Amino acid sequence: MLPKTVKIVEVGPRDGLQAEPKTLNVEDRIAFINRLSQTGLRSIEVGSFVSHKWIPQLAESDLVYQGILKNPEIDYSILVPNQVGFDKALENKVTSIAVFTAASETFCQRNINSSIEGSLDTFAKFVPRAKEMGIRVRGYISCAIACPFEGPTAPSKVHELIQKLLKMGCDEISLGDTIGVGTPLQVLNLLADIPAPLEKLAVHFHDTYGQGVVNIYAALEKGISIVDSSVSGLGGCPYAPGASGNVATEDVLYLLNGLDIETGVNMEKLLKAAEYIDNKIGRETRSKVSIALRRVE
Ligand code: HMG
Ligand code: MG
């Protein structure tokens, strides 16, 4: 049984741009997000309040957040690693945040300079407050399938973290195949006997081995109805050597349209947003669908 509707979470402005070699200025990032807002997407990750020394591409995400035209029907979120980031979210009246940890100690340490337990302790200091204030909280678990340093991840480790993050108050948990090595068998194993309501779980596939779309299909069959992607397949992960961008939103939309699953997203407008960002960062698209449809034009 496949879901009737799927929410696509567009992470291009954050996960995508954070790993592109070219840093875009605030105006171009705002223009990109404004285009995405017109596509019918209902969830867009705008940027992150992390150290600009670690992720220079997303410096001044506060100005981007302030500058975008906000459609009240769209959830605009900001990635927040700690109290400093949360305070900045409050200053900027951010209504939706995402915290992030990992199922691998080595990755967690390299990504946020903290152990997994340390990251949970950090989040526990502000997530309940965020909830009290009506702020939406998403939790990410990186290396849900494998870690670039430690190898395959046991599904039980991910399940344990899902429970802890939900208990803390997260509204939604996104399971990240950070390095894009998973195949449908691993996705099915990860999602078997999952100790959480499926409607609270999202899948987040990087497309290093070209398995993103087929992995999404496997997840849909398991009852997942929230899918993360980046228009044009932007990005990679700065702390995961060799990882390529997220699965492209156009490719995900083509799959979902073909399955008669409702998303509310308009392909033509999405292709325009993809073209805009490809021109700005000066590289060819990584989306198979964009390549095919541009050829038809
Ligand atoms: P740290 O060096 O351990 O932090 O970094 P610290 O508390 O020792 O502070 C060091 C400096 O950073 C200080 O400034 C702080 O004020 C500042 P200084 O005194 O040196 O001038 N600082 C901050 N500045 C801005 N915003 C903050 C902040 N916190 C401290 N929030 C820290 C710890 C978490 C900040 C650092 O490790 C960091 O920024 N990491 C970036 C991690 C990141 O953004 N990674 C990519 C996103 S995760 C991802 O892509 C995976 C995902 O897509 C899912 C998947 O694919 O698996 C979500
Ligand atoms: Mg990612």
Side-chain angles (χ1 to χ4, degrees), residues 15 204 206 246:
D15 204 356
H204 177 108
H206 286 257
N246 299 91

Side-chain angles (χ1 to χ4, degrees), residues 222-273:
K222 276 299 215 182
I224 296 291
S225 58
I226 311 172
V227 174
D228 299 358
S229 56
S230 282
V231 74
S232 195
L234 291 173
C237 179
Y239 297 102
S244 86
N246 299 91
V247 60
T249 310
E250 306 93 293
D251 297 3
V252 175
L253 184 62
Y254 186 84
L255 169 77
L256 297 173
N257 285 346
L259 293 170
D260 268 342
I261 295 174
E262 189 57 47
T263 61
V265 182
N266 178 292
M267 180 66 93
E268 252 173 62
K269 291 180 178 170
L270 196 64
L271 291 171
K272 291 263 179 293

Side-chain angles (χ1 to χ4, degrees), residues 69-84:
L69 295 170
K70 296 195 187 69
N71 174 341
E73 285 175 29
I74 301 179
D75 175 59
Y76 296 99
S77 63
I78 293 276
L79 207 67
V80 161
N82 57 14
Q83 187 69 46
V84 177

